[in-house]
Every structure is written in C-alpha cells, then in structure tokens.
Amino acid sequence: QVQLVESGGGLVQTGGSLRLSCITSIRTFSTMGWFRQAPGKEREFVAAIAWSAPSTYYRDSVKGRFTISRDNAENTVYMQMNSLKPEDTAVYYCAADPRGPIAGSGYKYWGQGTQVTVSS
C-alpha cells in the first residue's frame, strides 16, 4: 500500500520559513506535487516537480518564495517556503501520480496533510 507522509508544518511569523517534507513508502513517482487547503476554501495547487528535466511548476502567488525539490534516493519531496504570509496559512498536502493536468487535483495518492500557520 502506497503511503505519503508529510512533515515540517508549524506556526511561524510573517516573513518566516518552513521546509515541508513528503516521504513515499514504496517508490518515487514521476511527478509529485503539493496542494493546500485553507479553511472554507477549495484545495488548490501549489507546486509540482517532474522527474524528467527535472521540471518544476508553481502557482503564481508562491513563485520566488517557494522551492520544490526531490531526493529520489530517499523517496522524498521537499518544499522550502520562505517569506511566508498569513494567506499561506493552510493544510498542505503531498500528492503523487497525477492522472490529469499537473496542476489539477486528479492525483492518485495523497498524504494526510500538515498544518502551516503564519501569524501576522
């Protein structure tokens, strides 16, 4: 059974940094992504990384602040989040194996999420 386990969330002040990690239980997927869901809002795409190239993709509001990376030997994907803002507050989910657009929600595997809270 495939499992994705996120870690690294927490409470930080505006302008602070966090590094999220997502480890997969079986293997490294060709494409992995991060999504987030704030209270009362839809889940939204944040970033993704493809094994080939490797190529990275970001939503506009995090470009220049967030960096997604992967360590295939460790079956782990990371997301370094800098210059955090209160609007980044959400539960962040790791996802793997998209069955549609990379920025869409059609990923086959999902983690349980990790809470990120940015105080003003």
Side-chain angles (χ1 to χ4, degrees), residues 1-2 12 14 35 43 63 73 92 108-109:
Q1 181 177 358
V2 176
V12 295
T14 296
F35 288 73
R43 186 176 297 185
K63 287 180 180 177
Y92 283 71
K108 184 174 181 180
Y109 304 105

Side-chain angles (χ1 to χ4, degrees), residues 3-77:
Q3 288 185 317
L4 307 179
V5 180
E6 303 100 333
S7 62
L11 172 64
V12 295
Q13 293 184 333
T14 296
S17 298
L18 285 173
R19 188 193 194 203
L20 303 184
S21 300
C22 173
I23 186 167
T24 65
S25 61
I26 296 180
R27 61 183 174 91
T28 302
F29 298 88
S30 61
T31 299
M32 296 186 69
W34 287 96
F35 288 73
R36 66 188 182 188
Q37 186 168 20
K41 295 187 177 182
E42 297 287 320
R43 186 176 297 185
E44 63 183 19
F45 169 79
V46 179
I49 184 166
W51 180 84
S52 61
S55 299
T56 56
Y57 310 85
Y58 300 93
R59 70 179 297 106
D60 287 344
S61 63
V62 307
K63 287 180 180 177
R65 300 188 297 123
F66 291 10
T67 303
I68 189 171
S69 62
R70 64 191 300 164
D71 183 337
N72 291 339
E74 298 294 328
N75 288 355
T76 303
V77 173

Side-chain angles (χ1 to χ4, degrees), residues 72-92:
N72 291 339
E74 298 294 328
N75 288 355
T76 303
V77 173
Y78 303 97
M79 187 160 71
Q80 178 67 41
M81 305 187 297
N82 298 328
S83 302
L84 283 162
K85 305 175 181 180
E87 51 264 43
D88 295 318
T89 295
V91 177
Y92 283 71

